[in-house]
């Protein structure tokens, strides 16, 4: 718990707009993850691709993987271009329409995973698991209350 936060009363905090704070949290967390991925010259769509292909070897073709990843995308990503980039750098292969990681791709994925794990550990510093889960459930409830999907991705 090396980071000091100013204390506020419950009344002060309860009056704060959740949209503001959830937005700041999102930009800060996503910014850190993107910075960690950039060390390996990866974007989040590259990361999603690597993890899905590694997680289900032999299960993904371009169409199915693009369809699976589109809900995570808020930037209008051309997933075909992401797949082509990973193939061109020798991190992924396409054989008979099936996408697979190469040894270089798996090694790069593991390097990025380690950097992301350190970032996640820093994000979670001083936050007990029960509080983290409670925060997620509050956000999920707000999303559900407004008609969004509170299901896990």
């Amino acid at each position: 718990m090396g980071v000091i936060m100013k204390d506020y009363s419950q009344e002060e905090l309860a009056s704060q707009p959740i949209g503001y704070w959830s937005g700041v949290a999102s930009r800060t967390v996503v910014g850190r993850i993107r910075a960690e991925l950039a060390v390996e010259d990866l974007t989040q769509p590259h990361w999603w691709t690597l993890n899905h292909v590694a997680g289900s070897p032999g299960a993904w073709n371009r169409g199915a993987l693009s369809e699976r990843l589109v809900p995570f995308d808020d930037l209008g990503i051309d997933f075909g271009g992401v797949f082509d980039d990973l193939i061109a750098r020798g991190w992924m292969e396409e054989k008979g329409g099936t996408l697979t990681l190469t040894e270089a791709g798996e090694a790069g994925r593991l390097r990025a995973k380690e950097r992301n794990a350190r970032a996640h550990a820093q994000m979670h510093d001083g936050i007990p698991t029960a509080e983290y889960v409670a925060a997620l459930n509050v956000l999920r409830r707000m999303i559900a209350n407004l008609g969004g999907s509170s299901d896990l991705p």
Side-chain angles (χ1 to χ4, degrees):
M1 281 207 239
V3 177
I4 305 289
M5 288 184 4
K6 185 175 178 180
D7 286 326
Y8 294 97
S9 71
Q10 187 171 344
E11 293 77 24
E12 287 174 302
L13 291 171
S15 70
Q16 290 294 299
I18 190 69
Y20 169 78
W21 289 103
S22 62
V24 170
S26 177
R27 288 187 298 278
T28 304
V29 169
V30 170
R32 173 63 186 276
I33 296 301
R34 287 178 177 167
E36 295 296 339
L37 293 172
V39 171
E40 202 66 56
D41 197 26
L42 298 172
T43 64
Q44 281 183 297
H46 286 95
W47 178 242
W48 304 331
T49 299
L50 292 169
N51 281 304
H52 276 77
V53 173
S56 297
W60 297 107
N61 63 38
R62 285 175 179 258
L65 188 52
S66 292
E67 187 176 313
R68 172 68 177 125
L69 298 178
V70 163
F72 301 108
D73 175 34
D74 61 353
L75 300 173
I77 298 298
D78 168 22
F79 285 103
V82 171
F83 304 157
D84 290 342
D85 180 62
L86 289 169
I87 291 168
R89 69 168 75 182
W91 284 32
M92 198 164 66
E93 295 176 330
E94 187 172 17
K95 294 179 183 172
T98 301
L99 300 168
T100 58
L101 294 190
T102 64
E103 285 186 30
E106 179 61 5
R109 186 186 75 80
L110 291 175
R111 287 190 305 271
K113 180 180 179 181
E114 178 59 31
R115 276 192 292 284
N116 281 346
R118 286 191 301 267
H120 281 277
Q122 183 181 1
M123 286 178 234
H124 289 254
D125 187 32
I127 303 169
T129 300
E131 288 183 25
Y132 180 79
V133 170
L136 287 182
N137 279 326
V138 166
L139 292 172
R140 290 179 58 237
R141 171 54 54 201
M142 289 179 179
I143 292 164
N145 287 348
L146 296 173
S149 173
S150 62
D151 294 344
L152 296 180

